[in-house]
């Protein structure tokens, strides 16, 4: 614990910055002198001294020795894992690296269809077969639940050939699944457990938060240290803790995907975020949890907004990171998008995201009670001032089935494709991903057979002007398919 007081990378950069070294290295702004003046006068000049390149004092992120190595070792010790890799392109790159490290071309991986889009990139780059699990919807809360241990067990029994299981926990709503059980199910069968814990870098640092993937036994787990803890945007970490995998394979996958010119300010912020979490995390998160619980209580007093509780989520067999506020807006008669807009424009309050049913307000290590108060006051005012037409929106996943007949990688890299009218697309193999919002779960993925039911469903959505992410033109008139 004593060494956790140190921040070796930050300290090295600080002593370098103080020496105001004459720079004959990249970047070209030369300690900020050449930066646009408007930007420099806003930010101040100090941070530019941290924007350096690979030289012996700091060494390379790709083959760390010296202070980056020490900083990664401290991170690994903080999380109780064998090795931590600093990432400068977020959990996006970590997810791809996890699949590349765990699987060889032709392997298959069990994965929820509601996973972050980076999973699809990983599946394509690694050349693996996805075994999709359809997520469950809760129509009372208007949210999607990620895979439960029972669903994973069923998939493992059905697809014993799977090499790995990929889980997202917590979800965007802060809901965590039973990772202990899932780790046990995987490891009993010799399967690798990969966890996208983008929203959970803080879990390990407070006793009242749900269990984190690193404690539950994930072989690899990625965390966006920038989401709730205090790293700068893009600052994430990939944690390795496995007897089923080779750490050098993970190292090479991470290295293949990262820039050779990482931003050292981001790296230093990772070093400091770890130190802060280790030294003060419990106390700081205590305040955040209390503020969030206060907000939850106040929002649940309002007539038109509601916010589910940990108790309720526990009763459904999951756990909840209380710092996340999912605010249901359906009783206002307005959509979450509309309320998000009103909050931003009239109250200067910006939530992380919205859908038709909910707003997601993310608290972080820098949040305080006055932020929560501003949100609660704004919602209280909004429910007095605005009232929309009661809507009959229902969150549902259409019961459509299809089969994966071609590997996504082959569709993406080598198949000849063409565009056919949507009405005539049944029978072809899809060459694009189409994801209607809501519910934000892909209806088609490259390599899947287009069925008559899917065509009818897409045509119906298109006629109703429902947004379908992935469509290439304003209106969904054609579909990109594999030319047979
Ligand atoms: C569940 C999940 N995984 C991965 C990511 C990607 O994380 P990052 O923004 O750090 O690249 C996100 C981003 O929002 C996410 O919500």
């Amino acid at each position: 614990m004593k060494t956790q007081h140190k921040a070796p990378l930050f300290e090295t950069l600080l002593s370098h910055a103080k020496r105001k070294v004459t720079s004959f290295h990249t970047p070209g702004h030369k300690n900020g002198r050449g930066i646009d003046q408007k930007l420099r006068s806003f930010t101040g000049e100090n941070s530019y001294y941290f924007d350096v390149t690979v030289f012996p004092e700091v060494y390379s992120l790709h083959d760390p020795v010296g202070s980056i190595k020490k900083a990664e070792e401290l991170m690994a010790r903080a999380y109780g894992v064998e090795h931590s890799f600093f990432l400068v392109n977020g959990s996006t790159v970590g997810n791809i690296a996890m699949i590349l490290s765990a699987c060889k071309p032709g392997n298959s991986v069990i994965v929820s269809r509601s996973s972050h889009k980076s999973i699809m990139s990983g599946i394509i780059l690694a050349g693996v077969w996805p075994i999709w699990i359809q997520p469950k919807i809760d129509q009372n809360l208007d949210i999607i639940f990620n895979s439960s241990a029972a669903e994973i067990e069923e998939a493992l029994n059905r697809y014993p050939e799977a090499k790995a299981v990929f889980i997202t926990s917590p979800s965007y709503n802060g809901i965590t699944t039973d990772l202990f059980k899932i780790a046990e199910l995987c490891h009993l069968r010799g399967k690798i457990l990969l966890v996208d814990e983008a929203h959970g870098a803080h879990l390990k640092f407070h006793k009242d938060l749900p269990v984190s993937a690193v404690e539950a036994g994930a072989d690899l787990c990625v965390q966006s240290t920038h989401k709730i803890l205090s790293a700068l945007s893009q600052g994430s970490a990939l944690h390795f803790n496995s007897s089923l995998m080779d750490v050098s394979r993970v190292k090479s996958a991470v290295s293949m995907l990262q820039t050779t010119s990482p931003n050292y300010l981001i790296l230093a912020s990772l070093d400091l975020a770890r130190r802060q979490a280790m030294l003060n995390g419990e106390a700081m998160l205590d305040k955040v949890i209390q503020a969030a619980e206060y907000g939850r209580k106040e929002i649940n007093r309002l007539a038109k907004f509601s916010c589910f509780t940990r108790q309720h989520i526990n009763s459904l067999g999951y756990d909840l990171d209380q710092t996340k506020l999912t605010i249901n807006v359906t009783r206002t008669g307005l959509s979450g998008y509309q309320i998000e807009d009103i909050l931003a424009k009239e109250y200067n309050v910006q939530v992380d995201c919205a859908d038709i049913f909910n707003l997601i307000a993310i608290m972080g290590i820098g949040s305080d009670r006055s932020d929560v108060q501003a949100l609660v006051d704004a919602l209280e005012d909004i429910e007095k001032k605005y009232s929309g037409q009661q809507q009959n929106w229902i969150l549902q996943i259409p019961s459509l089935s299809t089969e994966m007949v071609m590997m996504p990688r082959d569709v993406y890299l080598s198949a000849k494709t063409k565009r056919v009218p949507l009405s005539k697309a049944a029978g072809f193999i899809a060459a694009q991903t189409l994801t209607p919002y809501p519910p934000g779960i892909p209806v088609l993925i490259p390599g899947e057979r287009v069925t008559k039911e899917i065509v009818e469903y897409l045509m119906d959505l298109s006629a109703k002007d429902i947004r379908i992410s992935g469509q290439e033109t304003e209106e969904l008139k054609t579909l990109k398919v594999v030319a047979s």
Side-chain angles (χ1 to χ4, degrees), residues 89-92 95 116 118 168 170 172 196 198-199 224 226-227 236:
N89 193 14
S91 293
T92 298
N95 278 338
H116 186 258
S118 50
T168 302
Y172 218 136
D196 175 350
H199 291 272
S224 295
H226 66 94
K227 286 196 197 294
S236 293

